Amino acid sequence: MSTPHIAAVPGDIAQTVLLPGDPLRAKVVAETYLENPVCFNTIRNMFGYTGTYKGKKVSVMGTGMGIPSIGLYTHELIHFYDVRNLIRIGSCGAITPDVKIGDIIMAQGACTDSSYAYQYGLQGSFSAISSFDLLRRAVLAAEERGYAFDVGNVFSTDIFYKEQPLWKKWAQVGCLAVEMETYALYCNAARATYAYGDAGAGHEVKALGIFTVSDSLVTGESTSAQERQHNFTNMMDVALDVAVQL
Ligand code: HPA
């Protein structure tokens, strides 16, 4: 079996999948951290790999950028490949002065300017939240390692190049950072967990977004490639500490 976008057979993909935006990052993560990584997808170069980490079967796959892209890949992972734990490992831009470049952000919730949740027919807005279990494990892992991190809301936007600096408004309701995917990830996990009767639904699907702050919209700073790599390594430590427990 293969889906329109993933050429794997069930069993090729672990129950826990790490999700960078960049498919080449997925390749690097697989080659750097996983033992015996096997590539399960090359459709559209959206590389996915499965291997083991400290004996635990773990997959890593790119999502592409933006809500439509992560929306479709995680839908297929959940509904066709029975993936239960989805951990986005991404980058984000700080929108408050309290958040520093290189910090780790854990998205307790995600706000959005996207219409993604309109599909559910809710006569209101949906608050997309992370798995408390994954969040708790990630917090404990980061504390144990002594890494600086913040937990809170992020703003998942559809628009990278904005006409107006709308991120300021989102900062004023407490969003810490801007990125472009997590809202859809959390929607898909909630929908699969609670929409009983749908194919593949009715069991708990857990999702968490963890990010390194790559730039600041407040100060205009951005990270060098070297800093990005260092900060990325800390985020990976946390994500893998969580993955190995699941
Ligand atoms: N905007 C949107 N997404 C991002 C940014 C940003 O400034 N930085 C990292 N991901």
Side-chain angles (χ1 to χ4, degrees), residues 91-93 157 160 178-180 214-215 217:
S91 66
C92 64
T157 187
F160 187 87
V178 59
E179 54 85 61
M180 302 186 75
S214 59
D215 53 281
L217 281 73

Side-chain angles (χ1 to χ4, degrees), residues 57-225:
K57 188 174 172 184
V58 174
S59 296
V60 56
M61 182 178 174
T63 64
M65 287 182 286
I67 281 173
S69 189
I70 194 170
L72 74 88
Y73 285 112
T74 58
H75 178 95
E76 291 180 7
L77 290 173
I78 293 167
H79 292 274
F80 299 105
Y81 296 101
D82 205 18
V83 170
R84 299 295 186 98
N85 307 299
L86 299 102
I87 304 174
R88 167 161 154 69
I89 43 172
S91 66
C92 64
I95 58 173
T96 143
D98 302 335
V99 171
K100 308 291 181 217
I101 296 217
D103 281 2
I104 294 172
I105 301 272
M106 299 173 192
Q108 186 176 11
C111 301
T112 197
D113 54 13
S114 153
S115 60
Y116 193 77
Y118 292 8
Q119 62 181 311
Y120 307 132
L122 305 166
Q123 301 282 311
S125 55
F126 175 66
S127 295
I129 59 169
S130 59
S131 153
F132 181 70
D133 180 50
L134 296 191
L135 179 59
R136 187 178 59 84
R137 291 176 194 276
V139 165
L140 290 173
E143 278 176 353
E144 235 158 70
R145 287 180 176 272
Y147 295 162
F149 65 96
D150 297 288
V151 175
N153 242 330
V154 298
F155 171 40
S156 300
T157 187
D158 271 350
I159 306 162
F160 187 87
Y161 294 108
K162 288 187 173 48
E163 291 279 319
Q164 295 166 29
L166 290 178
W167 56 268
K168 290 184 181 170
K169 302 270 187 204
W170 292 98
Q172 286 169 354
V173 291
C175 290
L176 303 173
V178 59
E179 54 85 61
M180 302 186 75
E181 291 83 16
T182 300
Y183 188 83
L185 172 64
Y186 289 0
C187 282
N188 282 355
R191 183 68 176 165
T193 300
Y194 298 109
Y196 298 103
D198 287 4
H203 54 239
E204 192 172 13
V205 176
K206 299 178 182 177
L208 177 65
I210 310 177
F211 317 91
T212 54
V213 179
S214 59
D215 53 281
S216 170
L217 281 73
V218 180
T219 63
E221 292 167 277
S222 61
T223 24
S224 67

